Amino acid sequence: MSASKPILIVGGGVIGLSIAWRLVRRGQPVVVLERDRVGQHASRVAAGMLAAAAEVGYEEPELYQLCRASLQAWPGFAAELEAESGLDLDYRSFGTLVVADDRDAAAALRRGYAFQQAQGYPVQWLSGAEALDLEPMLSPRIVAAVSVPEDHAVDNRALLTALEKAIRKHGGQVREGAQVERLDTMPDAAAVVLAAGERLEGSRIVMAAGAWTSEIKDWPGGTAPSIRPVKGQILELQTRPPFQLRHVVRGRKAYMVPRSDGRLIVGATSEEMGFDPHLTVGGIHGIMDGAWEMVPGVLDQYLLSVDVGFRPASRDHQPLIGFTADPRIFLATGHYRHGIVLSAVTALASERMLLDGVRDETVVFFDPSRRQTRS
Ligand code: GLY
C-alpha cells in the first residue's frame, strides 16, 4: 500500500462527506464515490435536528451520550465549515419542546423526562400553560411539555452543499454516478470495483454507504454488515406570517423544525418497506395529523415539497464506527435516525482513527466488531 494513494470514501451522504472534509483539510487525498448524486438521499430527506434527548430510547444510554458528545462538537464543526465554505448553515440554537396532548402521552413524556434527568441532561418539565407561553402557536390541548434547551438545529441541505464545496476547495475528488459494486481486497491492495467496471485502489476504504452498505459485495471474510433501509416520508412547507415557531416541536406522531427563511420541515414516517420510493397518502396524512394536533396553524401553510428517504439501520439501530477485522476497511454507517446530529462526532473520531492512529474512546462502544454481520 502506498501512502500516496487516496482514501476512498464510499457514500456521498452526510457521513461520507463529513469524514472526507476532515481528512482532506489535513492534506489527505480523498475520493468520494457516490452512486447517485451527493447528498440526495437520507441526508437530504432529514430535518436537521441536532437532538440528543428527543430521539433516543431508554435502552440506549451509550447512543445518548454519543449524541451529546456530537452536540458539544457541533458549534465548532459548523463554524469551521461555514468559514471554509463561505456558506451559512442556518445553525440555530433554539431548543426542542416535546409535547403531550393527552394523559397517556404525558405519562410517557414523564418517563422520558426521568431518563433524561438521570442521564444528566438539562431538561425542564412544563405545564400546558407554561408551554403555550413559550410557544404561542401550540394547541391549547397540549397538557404538558418537556423543554430541551440544548437541542439545536441545522439546515441539512445547506450542510451538504457546504461539505461538498469545502472538500472540493481542498482538492478532494467527489465523483457522482460512481456506484461501488464490490470490494476487491488483496494482500497488497485495497480496491473497489464500480458497476461500470472501473477499479480504484486506495490506501484505506471508508464504507459510508448508508442504507446501501449491505448491497456492496465481496467484503473481506465474506460477511457484509447488516444495514437495512427504514423508509421516511417528510414534508417541507413555506410558512407565512403570523405563523412562526420558536422551537423544534415534537410529539408522538410528528416533529416540526423551523428554518430562518420561514420554511418548516415536518416529519416523518418510519416504515419497514425496504427501498420502496413511493409517497403515500396515508404517510403524509399521518404526519400532518400529528403536526396539526400540536400546532393547528400548520394547516394554513404552503406545501413546498414531499420526499422519501431511507434511514440506514443496523441490527441494534446504533451506528457502526471503526475499523473492521481488515484494517484497511473502515466503517461509518448505520446512523439510522441520527445521521445529521452524529456527523460531527463521527467525522472527528474517524479523523483521529484514520490519520492519527488513535483509538477514540467516544466511539469505542460502536466498534463494528459487535455482532452485526449478515450470516
Ligand atoms: N431524525 C429524524 C427522523 O429520522 O425522522
Side-chain angles (χ1 to χ4, degrees):
M1 267 190 312
S2 149
S4 63
K5 284 182 192 162
I7 294 185
L8 304 178
I9 311 230
V10 180
V14 71
I15 298 298
L17 293 175
S18 299
I19 295 172
W21 172 54
R22 297 308 300 184
L23 300 184
V24 75
R25 69 195 295 281
R26 296 261 310 263
Q28 166 64 52
V30 297
V31 180
V32 178
L33 300 166
E34 164 54 42
R35 55 181 282 131
D36 191 0
R37 289 177 49 217
V38 289
Q40 284 304 299
H41 292 289
S43 316
R44 180 174 180 277
V45 187
M49 284 180 284
L50 304 178
E55 290 232 306
V56 177
Y58 304 113
E59 302 303 326
E60 298 174 324
E62 297 85 4
L63 181 58
Y64 191 78
Q65 293 307 336
L66 188 69
C67 287
R68 287 197 73 188
S70 206
L71 272 180
Q72 274 153 22
W74 251 102
F77 187 80
E80 268 178 293
L81 183 57
E82 285 186 333
E84 286 192 16
S85 67
L87 296 176
D88 177 7
L89 303 185
D90 199 18
Y91 185 90
R92 305 186 79 186
S93 56
F94 49 40
T96 303
L97 284 181
V98 190
V99 303
D101 60 1
D102 62 26
R103 279 176 48 189
D104 286 352
L109 190 61
R110 181 69 78 176
R111 285 194 294 278
Y113 172 67
F115 170 77
Q116 286 149 12
Q117 279 196 312
Q119 293 293 318
Y121 207 64
V123 283
Q124 191 190 354
W125 184 264
L126 302 173
S127 68
E130 287 167 335
L132 208 59
D133 276 348
L134 280 181
E135 187 57 84
M137 303 305 298
L138 285 180
S139 163
R141 292 175 48 206
I142 297 300
V143 296
V146 170
S147 164
V148 190
E150 282 192 7
D151 280 0
H152 295 176
V154 69
D155 181 339
N156 45 297
R157 296 182 186 180
L159 168 66
L160 294 160
T161 307
L163 285 167
E164 184 184 355
K165 191 171 170 197
I167 293 166
R168 290 190 192 276
K169 188 173 157 187
H170 286 290
Q173 281 188 53
V174 180
R175 289 185 53 179
E176 300 189 308
Q179 181 185 339
V180 172
E181 192 170 71
R182 62 185 178 87
L183 299 175
D184 185 14
T185 45
M186 293 183 293
D188 58 346
V192 297
V193 179
L194 304 188
E198 187 181 356
R199 184 175 181 279
L200 295 160
E201 278 192 18
S203 58
R204 304 269 177 91
I205 302 173
V206 174
M207 299 300 288
W212 286 268
T213 305
S214 300
E215 310 255 301
I216 295 167
K217 300 189 190 84
D218 295 347
W219 288 74
T223 45
S226 175
I227 305 290
R228 71 179 199 286
V230 178
K231 176 180 173 182
Q233 303 183 50
I234 202 164
L235 296 95
E236 182 189 29
L237 313 183
Q238 181 64 54
T239 65
R240 299 172 302 143
F243 184 99
Q244 190 195 19
L245 284 184
R246 301 173 184 166
H247 303 82
V248 171
V249 176
R250 68 179 299 145
R252 279 182 298 180
K253 291 192 276 180
Y255 52 74
M256 281 171 271
V257 184
R259 303 271 189 256
S260 301
D261 60 8
R263 283 177 300 134
L264 182 70
I265 311 302
V266 189
T269 63
S270 200
E271 304 167 62
E272 296 289 353
M273 295 289 290
F275 283 110
D276 168 27
H278 297 101
L279 296 161
T280 62
V281 176
I284 303 306
H285 170 75
I287 300 167
M288 285 313 300
D289 193 44
W292 169 81
E293 282 173 8
M294 299 185 286
V295 177
V298 75
L299 289 191
D300 298 326
Q301 310 312 314
Y302 295 152
L303 179 59
L304 288 179
S305 64
V306 192
D307 282 294
V308 171
F310 302 105
R311 305 174 183 89
S314 66
R315 284 193 168 169
D316 60 7
H317 295 145
Q318 311 211 28
L320 301 165
I321 306 168
F323 289 102
T324 62
D326 183 327
R328 296 165 302 178
I329 312 288
F330 186 92
L331 274 186
T333 189
H335 288 68
Y336 189 40
R337 313 182 68 94
H338 318 290
I340 305 296
V341 61
L342 290 179
S343 57
V345 79
T346 303
L348 296 170
S350 302
E351 175 189 344
R352 285 191 286 270
M353 288 188 278
L354 284 158
L355 296 191
D356 305 324
V358 173
R359 175 186 150 95
D360 196 293
E361 292 304 323
T362 30
V363 294
V364 85
F365 181 83
F366 304 93
D367 190 274
S369 62
R370 69 188 197 273
R371 196 177 163 275
Q372 288 287 334
T373 54
R374 284 206 164 153
S375 49

